[in-house]
Amino acid sequence: MVGLAEFFERKPNIEVVVFAGKGGLGKTTSSAALSYHMAVNEGKKVLCFSTDPQASLSDIFERDLFGKGVVEVAPNLYVVEIDADRKIAEYQQEIKQRILDMYGLEELPKEIEEYIDSTSAEPAMYESATYDAMADLVASGEYDLYVFDMPPFGHGVRMVAMAEILSAWVDKITEARKEAAEYEAVAATLKGGMQTEDMVLKELEEIRKKMTTFTELMTNSEKTAFFMVMVPEKMAILDTERALEMFRELNIEMSGVVVNQIYPRDLLDKPDLPELLRKKIEMQENHLMEIRDKFGDLVAALIPMYDREPKGLGMIAKVAEDLMHSRRDLLWW
């Protein structure tokens, strides 16, 4: 029987779950549904965090969550929907302050300040800022399970690669800082002064430690699960294939594929079924066979097309049941 319940029985030590894929296919819905199940039915303390600027946990939970910090929406279920623009501004200010501290400057050169400000529009800056926020949340250790809804660009998987880029950057700065500290120590000795602890170097080492710890967690398939969310359409199949390749390049194991918006096959038995819907279902059948052939055992859960939008705790509970124990009438093969 397909369903995420079987996956979590095999992997009881999972601490982080990431839903990746393009926008509009059901990532946020899957994130909310899994979080709801684990919190309400399993009694775990869960944090659901959206890193997707196009996502709307506020819409799904029917609560104003945007920029409000951590909000409890059900027993044990906590949700964060970050204000991305504010997060990037804070992140840029943090970078500026680190440069000022590192070089003992009172103000940044104009060119450097303009360059940092111009990075607001760069996807990499958003990914870097949100990756940092994810690492901070997990490092807090306040929750039993962290569920992340990743942004669509680059399949969100690129965020994992950001850790390597940031770590390499911290390594280079740390090396330069160590050399500077040695010169400062010699100068202090010659002047008869006391050598003081290098706080900047200490901070850089803390950043690297946090990044390394988080990256090790994200690449540990016993503690972190990555699921791609797709629909039975050609473009979604191609996109998931590309995502699988990216996963392989990053040495990350994809835990499974969640197929969303499936019409039950018994609808085809209805004589009064509208012709347009019949053709739509027949087209889905072809794509579902292709999904079976290309992804095989990676198909971890099947979610139906509902007669209304999956919003509010009542509908989220319904999606959660289908996500954990997929219905047999959705399994076309």
Side-chain angles (χ1 to χ4, degrees):
M1 185 60 158
V2 177
L4 292 193
E6 184 182 312
F7 173 82
F8 285 99
E9 285 176 9
R10 286 188 284 110
K11 302 267 189 176
N13 298 318
I14 292 291
E15 298 174 13
V16 177
V17 177
V18 178
F19 287 99
K22 284 205 167 187
L25 304 186
K27 287 185 295 100
T28 308
T29 304
S30 298
S31 300
L34 177 66
S35 299
Y36 179 91
H37 172 80
M38 290 298 185
V40 176
N41 300 333
E42 303 285 339
K44 292 188 175 183
K45 188 177 180 182
V46 181
L47 180 68
C48 182
F49 175 58
S50 177
T51 65
D52 184 350
Q54 297 176 351
S56 183
L57 290 171
S58 292
D59 284 344
I60 288 180
F61 285 105
E62 296 184 322
R63 295 272 298 271
D64 182 13
L65 304 167
F66 184 72
K68 299 291 191 299
V70 177
V71 178
E72 186 174 13
V73 297
N76 291 321
L77 175 51
Y78 299 82
V79 176
V80 179
E81 189 171 64
I82 63 169
D83 181 339
D85 291 337
R86 189 174 70 185
K87 181 65 185 173
I88 290 173
E90 290 173 353
Y91 194 67
Q92 288 174 319
Q93 187 55 44
E94 191 178 328
I95 291 173
K96 290 177 185 177
Q97 192 59 52
R98 284 177 183 170
I99 293 173
L100 291 173
D101 293 342
M102 198 172 300
Y103 294 101
L105 302 173
E106 292 186 359
E107 62 180 28
L108 286 179
K110 184 180 177 184
E111 298 79 12
I112 293 178
E113 183 151 18
E114 287 178 350
Y115 173 75
I116 294 174
D117 289 340
S118 71
T119 59
S120 300
E122 293 291 332
M125 175 57 78
Y126 180 86
E127 291 179 6
S128 179
T130 51
Y131 191 88
D132 196 53
M134 290 168 67
D136 281 339
L137 287 168
V138 174
S140 72
E142 292 182 35
Y143 302 89
D144 302 318
L145 182 69
Y146 297 85
V147 179
F148 293 112
D149 171 16
M150 275 192 166
F153 43 78
H155 308 284
V157 182
R158 286 193 315 178
M159 294 179 80
V160 177
M162 285 302 299
E164 295 183 14
I165 296 169
L166 290 172
S167 184
W169 178 79
V170 170
D171 281 345
K172 286 185 179 179
I173 298 295
T174 301
E175 186 179 344
R177 187 64 198 178
K178 280 181 177 175
E179 290 178 1
E182 289 175 4
Y183 288 123
E184 288 171 5
V186 171
T189 301
L190 290 174
K191 292 177 182 177
M194 296 288 289
Q195 184 179 351
T196 58
E197 185 178 16
D198 189 327
M199 297 307 293
V200 175
L201 189 56
K202 187 178 178 182
E203 184 184 357
L204 286 170
E205 289 174 348
E206 286 295 322
I207 293 171
R208 180 170 55 184
K209 182 181 176 183
K210 181 178 71 174
M211 289 297 174
T212 302
T213 301
F214 187 54
T215 302
E216 286 175 353
L217 174 64
M218 296 285 275
T219 53
N220 183 339
S221 62
E222 294 300 317
K223 293 187 175 180
T224 298
F226 283 87
F227 291 101
M228 282 293 295
V229 181
M230 63 183 300
V231 294
E233 293 179 3
K234 189 64 181 178
M235 287 306 296
I237 293 171
L238 295 174
D239 194 58
T240 302
E241 284 185 297
R242 285 193 288 269
L244 270 171
E245 185 60 32
M246 289 182 69
F247 272 86
R248 279 192 284 270
E249 290 174 358
L250 293 168
N251 294 317
I252 297 172
E253 180 182 323
M254 185 192 283
S255 305
V257 172
V258 175
V259 188
N260 189 27
Q261 299 178 7
I262 303 175
Y263 288 102
R265 58 182 171 183
D266 57 7
L267 283 177
L268 289 176
D269 299 332
K270 294 183 179 297
D272 57 345
L273 186 69
E275 188 59 22
L276 187 63
L277 182 54
R278 181 179 297 280
K279 288 187 180 301
K280 172 76 174 175
I281 296 172
E282 289 172 348
M283 191 165 58
Q284 273 203 352
E285 180 182 7
N286 292 331
H287 293 318
L288 285 165
M289 294 304 112
E290 189 176 355
I291 288 170
R292 176 202 61 187
D293 294 340
K294 289 190 171 178
F295 305 120
D297 292 339
L298 276 177
V299 177
L302 305 168
I303 301 176
M305 173 69 84
Y306 297 103
D307 57 5
R308 60 191 176 99
E309 285 189 90
K311 292 182 177 181
L313 290 181
M315 277 302 290
I316 290 173
K318 187 176 178 62
V319 178
E321 176 60 27
D322 291 328
L323 182 68
M324 302 307 292
H325 307 282
S326 299
R327 290 160 33 180
R328 287 189 178 279
D329 61 339
L330 299 179
L331 195 62
W332 282 71
W333 54 88

